Amino acid sequence: MGKSNSRDISIILLITVLIKVAYIAFAKILDKGVNLSDIDSLATIFYRNDSSWYEKIAVNLYPHIYNLNDLGYAHGPLIKQSEWAFFPQYPLMIRGLMQFSLSFKESGFILLILFSSLAAIGMYLFTQEYLTNRKSAIYCTLLLIVFPFNFYFSMMYSEALFFSLLIFSFIAIQKQKYFYLPFLIIPLVLTRSLGIVCLLPLYLFYLERERILDSFKISLSTLFNKKNILISLYFLSGPMAFLAYMIYQKEMTDTYFAFSLAQAGWSRKFMFPLIAFFRRSDFSTQFNSVYTIIVIIFWFFHVRKFPLSLNVLIFLCLFFPLSSGSVISMPRFISIIFPITIIAGIWLSKIKFNKLVLVFIFATQLIVFSYWLAWHPFSY
């Protein structure tokens, strides 16, 4: 790694830390009861909403379910939710840290520092090679850090972990370091349900990297040679880990798909993705619907700038969550779609006062962050 790269990464790491300081200062300004001398009080700023579910899993693991109805339901005012809606990788990592006499919040704070930093570094490393332009890479990385809804990377959520595993999986393929793939894609599929779906664009990216796939043309002779078959076995570690988790769910709940059935507690059920838009009249649903449509349109106008693998990644990351029939959390789900951030970063970097643009965008992030501090449904 050259001196320029090392300097860029040092700057990125510094900014990821300063961002947390800004969140704390902002919470103090809004008088959210922050005690600067108490780490547990500081950590509470980063603990909201679904963080409590991760804490339940970290402390008590998953409960046995003897009636499938107990996995989750939403019948008008009657709502039942359960831990099974959440995947195990993130809370189990916190549980591991808690064995060193740390609280959940202290452990979660350590992980959010670690993985928000790794997410930013991964974005920089991937983008630099993808664009072969160091300045564009660092601008795209800064955009990722300050984008309005990307404060989730610094919260006690699984976003930063998932993004780190995903982007470093792409980097491993980019660098042809295939031996590392199982160590990345196994926790990837155990972090969120989207992980198993992301194996498809990862494999397509590998085929493109090895020149086995060119657009929609595939070299069958190369695809079935011994070298490619052996490398492809690395990708099978993900489905095998997912299968093992399904078997665990069967043992604990008598169904292989407890994670899916539990989504009913959040009024999520499978349907045609586009039906999810504007299903409710509340502000969050209306905003999230408009925001998601804007992102889809933005992607549509730039679709030719991406290889097949990244277009498939964008498609799956957009329409897989929408297939649950809800736009709740869509801005958060969109935050991991790094190809969109890359194109937006390229476009914004060409503006005359592009650094001021980043400052303005971060100011917008703080406004959105205020909803998180207020436990508002817009922050789900």
Side-chain angles (χ1 to χ4, degrees):
M1 184 181 294
K3 290 184 178 180
S4 297
N5 284 1
S6 298
R7 183 174 63 252
D8 290 347
I9 289 176
S10 297
I11 293 171
I12 290 167
L13 288 174
L14 177 61
I15 291 174
T16 59
V17 172
L18 291 177
I19 287 288
K20 277 68 168 182
V21 175
Y23 294 151
I24 293 170
F26 189 66
K28 187 69 175 177
I29 291 171
L30 295 183
D31 194 22
K32 294 300 179 179
V34 180
N35 183 353
L36 299 179
S37 62
D38 181 6
I39 188 168
D40 196 66
S41 173
L42 291 177
T44 301
I45 296 170
F46 307 92
Y47 178 105
R48 295 287 190 277
N49 306 328
D50 290 345
S51 302
S52 61
W53 288 107
Y54 290 124
E55 183 174 16
K56 287 181 181 180
I57 299 168
V59 174
N60 303 312
L61 300 179
Y62 290 92
H64 275 280
I65 297 293
Y66 302 99
N67 183 339
L68 290 183
N69 202 41
D70 289 336
L71 284 172
Y73 56 80
H75 306 308
L78 301 177
I79 296 175
K80 170 69 176 180
Q81 298 175 330
S82 76
E83 294 93 325
W84 285 101
F86 302 90
F87 272 54
Q89 185 65 41
Y90 176 66
L92 290 185
M93 292 177 73
I94 291 183
R95 183 180 176 88
L97 287 178
M98 290 172 66
Q99 304 311 305
F100 298 94
S101 300
L102 297 173
S103 69
F104 174 87
K105 290 177 183 176
E106 290 169 340
S107 302
F109 189 70
I110 292 171
L111 287 187
L112 70 86
I113 292 289
L114 173 63
F115 285 105
S116 63
S117 300
L118 285 175
I121 292 171
M123 180 69 171
Y124 172 78
L125 294 176
F126 177 86
T127 308
Q128 185 192 36
E129 180 144 335
Y130 184 76
L131 298 178
T132 63
N133 187 309
R134 186 178 64 84
K135 289 185 178 180
S136 294
I138 194 167
Y139 192 89
C140 290
T141 303
L142 293 177
L143 179 62
L144 177 80
I145 294 171
V146 304
F147 203 72
F149 296 99
N150 291 9
F151 68 87
Y152 289 107
F153 288 134
S154 297
M155 301 301 119
M156 292 182 196
Y157 270 28
S158 63
E159 261 64 31
L161 171 62
F162 186 85
F163 186 92
S164 299
L165 294 168
L166 180 64
I167 197 73
F168 276 100
S169 295
F170 274 97
I171 291 170
I173 296 170
Q174 207 176 46
K175 301 289 187 180
Q176 296 181 300
K177 303 292 185 181
Y178 303 122
F179 173 77
Y180 297 105
L181 279 175
F183 301 100
L184 293 165
I185 63 178
I186 288 175
L188 179 72
V189 302
L190 297 177
T191 299
R192 286 168 61 171
S193 58
L194 186 61
I196 189 68
V197 177
C198 286
L199 295 185
L200 174 58
L202 280 169
Y203 190 66
L204 291 175
F205 188 71
Y206 156 70
L207 295 178
E208 292 167 345
R209 181 66 179 79
E210 294 292 330
R211 303 188 187 283
I212 299 171
L213 177 66
D214 182 12
S215 188
F216 288 94
K217 297 178 182 179
I218 190 165
S219 172
L220 293 178
S221 59
T222 310
L223 180 66
F224 293 107
N225 68 25
K226 182 179 179 180
K227 175 188 174 184
N228 183 59
I229 290 174
L230 290 175
I231 293 175
S232 296
L233 292 177
Y234 287 122
F235 290 89
L236 287 179
S237 59
M240 292 184 68
F242 190 78
L243 177 61
Y245 182 55
M246 291 176 65
I247 293 172
Y248 171 72
Q249 290 177 96
K250 175 67 175 176
E251 290 295 317
M252 295 290 288
T253 69
D254 200 33
T255 175
Y256 292 106
F257 297 98
F259 72 92
S260 181
L261 297 178
Q263 298 299 320
W266 283 261
S267 300
R268 296 181 181 274
K269 59 181 180 179
F270 180 77
M271 62 179 62
F272 184 67
L274 298 183
I275 297 177
F277 294 123
F278 306 108
R279 291 190 67 205
R280 294 166 55 183
S281 60
D282 60 282
F283 167 73
S284 298
T285 299
Q286 297 297 305
F287 179 91
N288 292 350
S289 296
V290 172
Y291 178 75
T292 305
I293 290 171
I294 290 173
V295 171
I296 292 173
I297 293 172
F298 181 81
W299 168 46
F300 177 78
F301 280 106
H302 295 88
V303 68
R304 293 188 178 182
K305 295 183 181 294
F306 300 115
L308 176 62
S309 57
L310 295 187
N311 274 316
V312 171
L313 176 70
I314 296 169
F315 174 83
L316 292 174
C317 289
L318 284 170
F319 290 97
F320 184 76
L322 287 173
S323 66
S324 68
S326 174
V327 293
I328 294 174
S329 304
M330 277 307 296
R332 176 160 61 90
F333 297 150
I334 289 170
S335 67
I336 66 165
I337 310 179
F338 63 87
I340 294 290
T341 305
I342 291 174
I343 292 299
I346 294 171
W347 180 64
L348 290 173
S349 66
K350 295 176 181 178
I351 296 175
K352 185 175 182 180
F353 300 104
N354 53 45
K355 292 182 176 64
L356 287 178
V357 170
L358 291 176
V359 173
F360 173 78
I361 291 174
F362 180 61
T364 306
Q365 185 189 97
L366 290 178
I367 294 173
V368 178
F369 181 59
S370 68
Y371 287 91
W372 168 271
L373 292 174
W375 299 78
H376 192 279
F378 186 48
S379 67
Y380 288 170

